Amino acid sequence: MRLIEIDAFIDSALYRIWTGLKDGAEALSRFARRFRMTGWRRAPFEILGDGLTMAVGGGIVMLTLALPAFDATKQDWLAQSDYSVTFLDRYGAEIGKRGVRHSESVPLEEMPDSLIKATLATEDRRFYTHFGIDIIGTGRALMENLRNDAVRQGGSSITQQLAKNLFLSNERTLDRKIKEAFLALYLESNLSKHDILQLYLDRAYMGGGNFGAAAAAEFYFGKKVTDINLAEAAMLSGLYKAPARYAPHINLPAARARANDVLTNMVQAGFMTEGQVMGARRKPADVVRKAADTAPDYFLDWAFDEVKKQVPDGDRSLIVRSTVDVNIQKTADEAIESALRDSGERYRVSQAAMVVAEPDGAVRALVGGRDYGESQFNRATDALRQPGSSFKPFVYTAALQHGYTPKSIVVDAPISIGNWSPKNYGGRYMGSIQLTTALIHSLNTVAVRLAGAVGRPAIIDLAHRMGITTNIINSKSLPLGATDVRVLDMTGAYAVFANGGLKATPYAFTQILNSQGQVVFDRKRDVPPPERVLDEKTVGMMDYMLGQVPERGTGRAAKLQGIKTAGKTGTTNAYRDAWFMGFTGNYVGGVWFGNDDFTSTNKMTGGSLPAQTWNRVMTYAHNGIELKPIPYIDEPASDGPRPAPAVASTDADQRPLSLSARTTERLIALEKLLETAPPLKPLNAVSFDSGEAIRAAALEGTP
């Protein structure tokens, strides 16, 4: 009885609420009809009402877009600029600095008036009147770019540029531009114009590995920024948006022409008269002669971010012993540039990235793009690209863990999953083959069948445990590499194969010291031993199969002379991305080629430029070092260090003199035959049968 009363009460209450809502809505409608406009007065009110509705909707959309941008402001972003880090290479030589050195930071009040005027005239003439976004300048730049059908002018204000420097990367995407706009508004509401301009002059990249006007003045002119003249101020102000193109230590004529444009901007902005700038036009600035910039800037940017994670508090004036090897780094830079210069137009490819590390994860070289001055976006650590078939080793490793072996028979034949029917490159099928053969030829249908047998969740879990940190999408095409990864992560994951099955997270430094010389971080002391990810048997089988790819498969161009090489190529749909991931007993490396705008290349595969570039860098890296075997499958190609050439060269055509791997194997086999052969009898004592026995024994031992 009690339950019936409760049910009746609920029904009655709901009815009364619903009736009340309807009556209220009707009453509101009757009240609103009293104010309904008629005649000509109705039009402006209709427009106003629709405008308010659109404004509310637009506000909701803007708030949705703003939330991801403001996530970057949750940390102590202003204090991050207090870091002053000096980097040493693996041998202890200074290679560069990051952060703002307090001894070099000059207050805005002490900056030359000519430098401030030149900066404002060139970068943001309405800096003191806009709210963070220069609507007029943006509109003018947009119209000019549309008229020329190319990007000729930039519309970003100084505040927007500072927002990019503080919070964002240099990747040219719509998402980044939206975040940049919102963060500019955030900076304007939290900082004064004085502070924004001060931070901009301290943080802007100005070529030659220099950040900030003070560092650039020391580097280019050998003087303090407070002592520069008008001509020098104009030259510095011309560097903000194209430091590589106008760096005076590399292209002095271009730098002087750009400085002349800056002087014209100052006159047009009304900051100076033509008579005042005439002396600077007639006597342009000169520079202190310096060698071309060789600082590993992409590596230093990544290492700087890693240092800030390791030392978030306390003394921020630090000295860091990094892992970079400047010789391997230089070779990698030159190899990337050479490949793009010689073959970029033919393959319609404009960018590349590379990471070289030791099997424990120590990064010896990192190339984040073709030209740091043109774009500081780090494609090795930040870009998300599909790995194509270079992802297949994760599939095969999972299969080995589920009972497969390199000699397991698998079927290469057409397969369909729903309406998706993957095909092999070239459209051919090989029938029943061994698992090793399938990997050598990078057969798509076999990878899909293996994924179906072991389950895609197992593959995803394995890839994450081996070092992939990005979100892996569980799709039907996952076995073919249809997910986003980073070059740095892929290199760390392949290092698991190279070191015998241990986790190998890439790292940038081994030691950090504070301003007092105290060790605040030591890798040997503070980092626990790596966990085992793969058992030795699985690693041995995978390393054997991956070792066949450069020997007989798609990665022949990566095979090193006299050094056992293992790896895998990768090419994505429409030839957008091309990869080679490989390793020896000494090094592991990953190479990616593609375009920032995701446009297709001209049928470039992982076995072409990526494998060739990998070969060139690794050939140099292995000169003069003791060769180590790939775990569980190989012995070093020689008993001692590999001799370095008399003149170090990074030319891929000038290889060190050495025997091929095949020849070396045959000589070793012949040596073993000679050691185990029975003593020879005198010629007259050798019978036909014994001669046949000796020949049979020799043939049996031949590889």
Side-chain angles (χ1 to χ4, degrees):
M1 194 67 181
R2 182 65 175 170
L3 293 177
I4 295 176
E5 292 177 357
I6 294 174
D7 181 67
F9 174 77
I10 293 174
D11 288 343
S12 301
L14 291 176
Y15 176 78
R16 287 194 295 272
I17 292 172
W18 176 247
T19 303
L21 289 174
K22 289 199 301 183
D23 292 343
E26 180 63 28
L28 180 62
S29 178
R30 289 195 301 269
F31 178 77
R33 281 197 291 269
R34 299 178 183 178
F35 302 97
R36 179 172 295 174
M37 291 289 179
T38 58
W40 65 270
R41 296 183 182 86
R42 181 175 180 178
F45 281 94
E46 288 285 347
I47 295 173
L48 179 61
D50 291 342
L52 290 174
T53 302
M54 294 177 64
V56 172
I60 295 173
V61 172
M62 295 287 281
L63 181 61
T64 303
L65 294 174
L67 290 176
F70 292 149
D71 284 341
T73 66
K74 291 180 179 179
Q75 299 177 348
D76 189 9
W77 55 270
L78 192 57
Q80 290 180 7
S81 63
D82 294 339
Y83 282 92
S84 173
V85 183
T86 300
F87 285 97
L88 312 178
D89 68 7
R90 63 179 298 192
Y91 302 112
E94 184 175 329
I95 53 173
K97 299 175 182 178
R98 285 297 183 268
V100 178
R101 291 169 60 91
H102 297 295
S103 59
E104 294 177 356
S105 181
V106 178
L108 192 64
E109 294 79 7
E110 298 179 18
M111 291 278 189
D113 186 61
S114 58
L115 176 62
I116 295 175
K117 288 180 176 179
T119 298
L120 295 176
T122 304
E123 297 300 307
D124 192 352
R125 298 181 188 180
R126 285 171 287 275
F127 173 70
Y128 282 102
T129 59
H130 64 61
F131 54 89
I133 300 174
D134 184 3
I135 303 297
I136 298 175
T138 301
R140 184 198 68 249
L142 180 62
M143 295 302 296
E144 183 68 17
N145 294 336
L146 289 174
R147 187 172 64 86
N148 291 279
D149 195 25
V151 179
R152 296 291 181 85
Q153 291 186 9
S156 296
S157 66
I158 283 179
T159 313
Q160 287 174 275
Q161 294 179 55
L162 178 62
K164 179 187 69 176
N165 292 339
L166 289 175
F167 303 110
L168 306 172
S169 71
N170 285 274
E171 187 177 16
R172 293 183 177 181
T173 62
L174 179 61
D175 178 64
R176 196 218 77 190
K177 293 298 292 184
I178 292 174
K179 290 180 179 178
E180 180 184 286
F182 282 112
L183 289 170
L185 299 177
Y186 175 85
L187 290 177
E188 288 279 347
S189 63
N190 286 273
L191 299 175
S192 66
K193 291 286 187 179
H194 176 282
D195 292 337
I196 291 173
L197 187 55
Q198 176 77 66
L199 281 172
Y200 181 73
L201 291 171
D202 280 344
R203 295 296 299 268
Y205 180 66
M206 304 187 74
N210 297 285
F211 288 81
E218 291 276 0
F219 182 81
Y220 294 123
F221 310 126
K223 60 174 68 173
K224 294 182 179 179
V225 69
T226 53
D227 298 330
I228 62 174
N229 57 36
L230 176 58
E232 292 164 343
M235 186 171 284
L236 289 181
S237 299
L239 294 172
Y240 294 118
K241 291 187 178 178
R245 190 182 311 163
Y246 301 118
H249 70 307
I250 296 176
N251 193 340
L252 185 58
R256 285 175 170 172
R258 173 65 173 165
N260 196 54
D261 291 339
V262 172
L263 294 172
T264 300
N265 291 337
M266 296 176 73
V267 174
Q268 292 177 347
F271 295 155
M272 284 190 174
T273 65
E274 184 61 40
Q276 290 174 308
V277 303
M278 186 57 65
R281 291 189 193 275
R282 291 178 176 176
K283 189 178 180 180
D286 206 346
V287 298
V288 176
R289 295 296 178 185
K290 289 183 177 287
D293 178 28
T294 57
D297 289 310
Y298 286 113
F299 175 89
L300 293 178
D301 284 352
W302 170 60
F304 184 49
D305 289 337
E306 295 297 304
V307 168
K308 289 188 290 187
K309 295 176 185 176
Q310 189 64 49
V311 188
D313 303 309
D315 189 347
R316 293 181 173 181
S317 182
L318 307 169
I319 297 176
V320 176
R321 182 181 285 273
S322 75
T323 58
V324 71
D325 185 310
V326 292
N327 294 318
I328 299 177
Q329 178 69 53
K330 180 181 179 183
T331 303
D333 287 331
E334 292 176 350
I336 292 291
E337 172 57 29
S338 176
L340 291 173
R341 182 182 62 247
D342 297 341
S343 304
E345 184 175 353
R346 173 162 60 98
Y347 283 110
R348 291 201 304 269
V349 60
S350 60
Q351 281 296 347
M354 183 175 191
V355 176
V356 178
E358 292 198 358
D360 72 334
V363 175
R364 299 305 185 198
L366 187 149
V367 183
R370 182 175 187 176
D371 191 323
Y372 184 82
E374 289 289 341
S375 170
Q376 291 87 56
F377 176 63
N378 197 328
R379 295 156 188 83
T381 61
D382 298 331
L384 297 176
R385 307 297 298 222
Q386 292 195 355
S389 293
S390 64
F391 188 85
K392 288 177 182 175
F394 302 121
V395 179
Y396 279 71
T397 302
L400 295 180
Q401 291 181 330
H402 281 72
Y404 285 79
T405 72
K407 294 184 178 181
S408 295
I409 301 300
V410 292
V411 178
D412 175 33
I415 183 175
S416 295
I417 302 178
N419 59 356
W420 181 61
S421 301
K423 294 179 173 56
N424 292 330
Y425 183 80
R428 298 179 180 179
Y429 302 95
M430 301 179 68
S432 296
I433 55 173
Q434 289 188 355
L435 193 67
T436 301
T437 304
L439 183 61
I440 289 172
H441 296 284
S442 196
L443 301 177
N444 290 336
T445 64
V446 173
V448 173
R449 281 190 167 87
L450 290 175
V454 305
R456 291 194 295 270
I459 297 170
I460 293 172
D461 177 67
L462 175 65
H464 279 148
R465 286 190 291 112
M466 290 181 67
I468 303 301
T469 62
T470 52
N471 179 42
I472 301 177
I473 301 174
N474 187 351
S475 65
K476 292 180 289 187
S477 55
L478 172 65
L480 310 185
T483 191
D484 291 333
V485 297
R486 299 184 178 94
V487 179
L488 186 68
D489 286 351
M490 287 289 284
T491 304
Y494 269 70
V496 176
F497 298 128
N499 68 30
L502 302 177
K503 184 70 175 292
T505 303
Y507 62 92
F509 47 83
T510 57
Q511 196 175 65
I512 302 176
L513 286 76
N514 63 18
S515 60
Q516 306 300 317
Q518 299 170 331
V519 177
V520 296
F521 170 83
D522 186 281
R523 183 169 182 83
K524 292 181 180 179
R525 181 192 69 191
D526 301 325
V527 176
E531 63 175 308
R532 176 163 290 280
V533 179
L534 302 177
D535 63 86
E536 296 178 359
K537 182 179 179 181
T538 300
V539 174
M541 290 188 291
M542 275 306 303
D543 286 0
Y544 165 75
M545 291 195 292
L546 290 171
Q548 303 305 304
V549 175
E551 292 284 344
R552 301 186 284 139
T554 56
R556 291 186 181 91
K559 179 182 176 181
L560 301 176
Q561 294 297 316
I563 304 173
K564 184 63 179 178
T565 310
K568 186 69 186 74
T569 57
T571 309
T572 62
N573 285 340
Y575 299 96
R576 289 188 177 92
D577 304 280
W579 296 69
F580 183 78
M581 301 297 308
F583 57 93
T584 66
N586 296 82
Y587 291 106
V588 58
V591 184
W592 165 84
F593 278 79
N595 296 308
D596 285 342
D597 58 3
F598 294 92
T599 55
S600 299
T601 65
N602 185 22
K603 297 184 178 180
M604 181 179 63
T605 64
S608 58
L609 285 190
Q612 294 164 14
T613 302
W614 191 94
N615 183 304
R616 175 173 175 174
V617 176
M618 289 300 185
T619 296
Y620 175 83
H622 286 80
N623 284 332
I625 65 173
E626 181 180 353
L627 300 180
K628 299 177 182 178
I630 293 177
Y632 314 126
I633 68 166
D634 191 28
E635 293 296 329
S638 65
D639 294 332
R642 191 178 185 207
V647 179
S649 171
T650 57
D651 192 337
D653 295 328
Q654 296 179 349
R655 305 180 191 278
L657 295 176
S658 60
L659 298 175
S660 69
R662 186 63 173 171
T663 302
T664 302
E665 291 173 1
R666 288 184 176 276
L667 288 175
I668 293 173
L670 181 59
E671 181 184 16
K672 291 180 179 178
L673 283 175
L674 292 174
E675 291 175 350
T676 59
L680 292 177
K681 299 178 181 179
L683 185 61
N684 57 6
V686 178
S687 67
F688 177 81
D689 292 337
S690 62
E692 285 295 321
I694 293 174
R695 283 192 291 272
L699 290 174
E700 185 178 354
T702 302

